[in-house]
Amino acid sequence: MPEMRYYEALIEAMAEEMRRDESVFLMGEDIGLFGGTFRATEGLMAEFGSRRVRDTPIAEAGIVGLAVGAAMAGLRPVPELMTMNFAIVAMDQIINHAAKMRYMFGGQLNLPITIRAPGGGGTQKGAQHSHSIESWFVNSPGIRVVIPSTPADAKGLLKTSIRSEDVVLFVEHEMLYSSKGQVPDEEVLIPFGRADIKRPGTDLTIVAWSKMVHEALHAAEALAAEGIDAEVLDPRTLDPFDWDGVFESVARTRRCVVAEEGWRSVSVGAEIAARIQETLFHELDAPVARVAAVEVPTPYARKLEQKALPNADDIVRAALKIAV
Amino acid sequence: MLQSREMLRLYRQMLLIRRMEERVAESYGEGKIGGFTHLYIGQEAVAVGAISALNFDDYVIDTYRDHGHFLARGGDPKKFMAELFGKQTGICKGKGGSMHMADVERYFFGGTGIVGGSIPIAAGLGLACNYREDDRIVMSFFGDGATNQGVWHEGLNFAKLWNLPVIFICENNFYGIGTGVQFSSSLTEVHKKASGYGMPGYRVNGMDVLEVRRVCEEVVKLVRGGAGPALIEARCYRYQGHSMTDPGRYRARAEEELWRKRDPIPRLAKDLIDGGFATEESLLELDREIEALAEEAVQYADESPDPAPEALYEDMFAVRYPSDPHA
Ligand SMILES: Cc1ncc(C[n+]2csc(CCOP(=O)(O)OP(=O)(O)O)c2C)c(N)n1
Ligand SMILES: [Mg+2]
């Protein structure tokens, strides 16, 4: 199995799907000649040309809207939002149009759109460029939310997303692009709605996704030193969600920490905690613990940013509180 | 000059929209239709004249004021009325309602309730035409109010930048709900906004179906030939309130009277009779036939079943997963 970086895995996934299906095309700001702000489309314009790798104006609502129209007509657009932060500008097209159209038209059409966008903070980009707002989209019906943490998951899930007949928000993480991992040589399509156990354990389940998976893995090592064997469970897709996978793990370990990079209130983490308690109340040995960002606009100053965003230490602290 | 048969077809379509809308208003009054319902009465010449210049497989996309375009595109009056009644037999199975009529088989991608929201989508349809190098074009209908919305400008910029085959048709009825165009638009001559994007802008009398048809035919030919997008401003007037709940205090009676004299239906009737293509009796006969069609549609909608409770969970995704909402 070759080792590759997260962004390289994304490029491979797109290139393979574009070779396979002429109706797949990419559009976004600086994705072509420039190669993508995070290099995630590097080389694709050279291979596929400017018809299928389209540099766009800086117009996020327009980009998503054009993708909706192209999908209505049977193409498979893969628009890139330069970052998740700018999804906020395109929110009406994503939520009111892309996500609702199939339902409100009584299922008359499919919209096979994969919106790629990198989210996350941790590089001092300040309040407007550090969002982890996947919860907003999970809160809205009609859109799948896919959020891989490793190169292999990134590749396999992006291929599945592009082949999906439905609207997918594919959330990458700015700090994961250069991370490395083994990616299978053969073609792998990772199904939606299947959580992956990134580290098996017996004493406690940490549910985490995107970059927080890596924080959770660090935390698990630290906890191991304390004699606590933590399992790290990565749902990989937040919509659909593998509730059975989470319940199975937590029923076994009887303790759970949910760790996310986004803000705490009314979040995916809140939903997971609520459902675990609804479903497994009698199996739990402790309340579900939560780790999330402090609810302030992400500050610039390095020390403050580090305090605002959750990390492995926060997970360890939360775990120790419920592990006794 | 159009052939007499085609003129009669346009007349028939305008009358169908008018009569259907009258039944919609009536049914709304009886509580059989709910929500926001925006009538098209007065503007019939725009949808009918413009859509009649298209091929069957061209794309049409619209706003919430979508009844006229749906019917002009050849949509089934029964499925239309059933949709308004929220019935299972509705064109969108009762899930869309007045503002979200779509008929994908007729390449009618329907109504959005978000002012301006359909404009970049129209450009996306145009992108698909160019991508596949097929011979299709797109017609995008919207109101004067939409031309002040951000995505409207994004959509026109994209369309020109990528030379997309899209005809943007602004139905300038001079009001966005109760706000006159002079209070909302930096340019009240909407067609001039085209110049900001380097595309041609046309102004037509939207109360004259023959003029709308003639100009649209020309523009369709240009756009289909690869000339890129165009903007047409059709000046028209809605005779009813903005929606069924509009008390209509913002328009002068004299203004309303003036525009009623410009009613596109009697206007074409006169042309037909003067040209010897119809008689008063033959048009009355046609009217009776259409009244019967409208009555049949209402009856069909009335008698159709409500959506089954399970329908609530259906149609959101092509592929469903266990975590999706279910009974
Ligand atoms: C984004 C958005 N803002 C406000 C509204 C409320 N609204 C519905 S129709 C309308 C007026 C639109 O006027 P115009 O575009 O001229 O179309 P017309 O109704 O005259 O056909 C407004 C403000 C809306 N539906 N969407
Ligand atoms: Mg108006």
Side-chain angles (χ1 to χ4, degrees), chain A residues 22 62 73 97 103 108 144 166, chain B residues 102 112 131-132 154 312 318 324:
Chain A
E22 163 75 18
H97 293 88
Y103 189 83
Q108 289 184 68
R144 301 299 186 193
D166 292 310
Chain B
T112 177
Y131 190 92
R132 293 211 187 92
E154 292 184 27
L312 178 65
D324 290 340

Side-chain angles (χ1 to χ4, degrees), chain A residues 51-116:
Chain A
R51 172 171 162 268
R52 298 186 66 195
V53 180
R54 308 180 77 99
D55 280 318
T56 67
I58 306 159
E60 289 76 12
I63 292 168
V64 177
L66 264 86
V68 172
M72 279 175 160
L75 298 183
R76 307 185 85 84
V78 184
E80 176 185 293
L81 297 174
M82 188 178 263
T83 74
M84 270 291 275
N85 308 290
F86 314 133
I88 299 173
V89 177
M91 215 58 180
D92 173 58
Q93 286 298 325
I94 300 172
I95 301 299
N96 265 326
H97 293 88
K100 288 180 188 164
M101 214 157 248
R102 190 180 199 283
Y103 189 83
M104 74 188 191
F105 292 167
Q108 289 184 68
L109 44 73
N110 291 337
L111 292 176
I113 305 168
T114 301
I115 305 169
R116 290 184 38 247

Side-chain angles (χ1 to χ4, degrees), chain B residues 275-296:
Chain B
F277 308 133
T279 61
E280 259 171 52
E281 295 83 88
S282 73
L283 294 184
L284 268 176
E285 178 53 36
L286 180 65
D287 203 348
R288 277 192 291 272
E289 187 194 312
I290 286 170
E291 288 275 18
L293 254 176
E295 174 53 31
E296 213 182 308

Side-chain angles (χ1 to χ4, degrees), chain A residues 6 44 47 68 90 97 166 171 173-174 183 241 257 296 303 312 315 318:
Chain A
Y6 189 93
L44 293 177
E47 178 173 353
V68 172
H97 293 88
D166 292 310
V171 187
H173 195 294
E174 290 188 21
V183 177
F241 195 89
V257 179
V296 293
K303 287 268 164 57
I315 298 173

Side-chain angles (χ1 to χ4, degrees), chain A residues 21-25 27 51-52 54-75 89 92-93 96-97 99 101-110 141-144 160 165-167 191-193 239-244 275, chain B residues 59 61 83 91-93 95-97 99-105 108-114 116-125 127-133 136 151 154-155 157-159 161-162 164 311-324:
Chain A
D21 183 348
E22 163 75 18
S23 68
V24 177
F25 72 98
M27 58 193 291
R51 172 171 162 268
R52 298 186 66 195
R54 308 180 77 99
D55 280 318
T56 67
I58 306 159
E60 289 76 12
I63 292 168
V64 177
L66 264 86
V68 172
M72 279 175 160
L75 298 183
V89 177
D92 173 58
Q93 286 298 325
N96 265 326
H97 293 88
M101 214 157 248
R102 190 180 199 283
Y103 189 83
M104 74 188 191
F105 292 167
Q108 289 184 68
L109 44 73
N110 291 337
I143 182 166
R144 301 299 186 193
T160 305
E165 293 299 328
D166 292 310
V167 184
F192 290 173
D239 186 334
F241 195 89
D242 186 358
W243 292 111
D244 288 345
R275 294 219 198 178
Chain B
Y59 299 129
I61 184 159
E83 184 61 31
I91 187 71
C92 300
K93 304 183 192 165
K95 285 181 174 148
M99 296 191 285
H100 308 306
M101 294 278 174
D103 191 347
V104 171
E105 267 180 31
F108 179 69
F109 291 101
T112 177
I114 306 301
S118 59
I119 307 303
I121 302 177
L125 287 164
L127 172 58
C129 300
N130 276 11
Y131 190 92
R132 293 211 187 92
E133 294 175 13
R136 288 181 161 128
V151 281
E154 292 184 27
N157 183 56
F158 263 110
L161 182 71
W162 288 352
L164 305 177
L312 178 65
Y313 308 103
E314 291 162 2
D315 299 322
M316 189 157 66
F317 291 115
V319 176
R320 281 168 79 174
Y321 289 86
S323 63
D324 290 340

Side-chain angles (χ1 to χ4, degrees), chain A residues 105-306:
Chain A
F105 292 167
Q108 289 184 68
L109 44 73
N110 291 337
L111 292 176
I113 305 168
T114 301
I115 305 169
R116 290 184 38 247
T123 52
Q124 282 193 277
K125 293 198 179 101
Q128 295 174 333
H129 286 75
S130 306
H131 286 100
S132 292
I133 48 174
E134 57 272 13
S135 295
W136 298 14
F137 300 89
V138 178
N139 186 254
S140 305
I143 182 166
R144 301 299 186 193
V145 180
V146 177
I147 188 158
S149 63
T150 66
D153 286 352
K155 182 171 177 190
L157 284 167
L158 183 52
K159 287 170 68 80
T160 305
S161 299
I162 293 173
R163 289 191 205 180
S164 151
E165 293 299 328
D166 292 310
V167 184
V168 176
L169 179 70
F170 190 90
V171 187
E172 299 158 16
H173 195 294
E174 290 188 21
M175 288 186 73
L176 291 180
Y177 281 115
S178 57
S179 66
K180 286 185 186 160
Q182 307 285 318
V183 177
D185 254 334
E186 70 279 11
E187 176 161 85
V188 177
L189 289 158
I190 298 176
F192 290 173
R194 298 269 180 84
D196 186 43
I197 295 177
K198 292 288 193 257
R199 179 192 198 277
T202 54
D203 299 336
L204 170 111
T205 301
I206 306 171
V207 181
W209 54 94
S210 193
K211 177 170 164 281
M212 289 308 284
V213 169
H214 303 278
E215 300 294 331
L217 289 169
H218 289 309
E221 271 168 46
L223 290 167
E226 308 272 335
I228 297 168
D229 184 18
E231 176 149 305
V232 176
L233 190 84
D234 177 1
R236 302 194 290 193
T237 66
L238 301 179
D239 186 334
F241 195 89
D242 186 358
W243 292 111
D244 288 345
V246 169
F247 296 154
E248 186 280 321
S249 171
V250 178
R252 239 185 319 106
T253 63
R254 307 178 78 88
R255 288 181 164 85
C256 182
V257 179
V258 185
E260 65 194 314
E261 192 179 310
W263 289 306
R264 176 180 296 266
S265 300
V266 205
S267 70
V268 173
E271 183 66 26
I272 295 171
R275 294 219 198 178
I276 289 173
Q277 279 158 173
E278 278 170 10
T279 311
L280 297 177
F281 187 73
H282 297 289
E283 267 81 10
L284 290 175
D285 285 342
V288 176
R290 294 194 49 207
V291 173
V294 179
E295 287 178 305
V296 293
T298 313
Y300 163 73
R302 179 180 292 282
K303 287 268 164 57
L304 290 180
E305 184 188 38
Q306 283 170 353

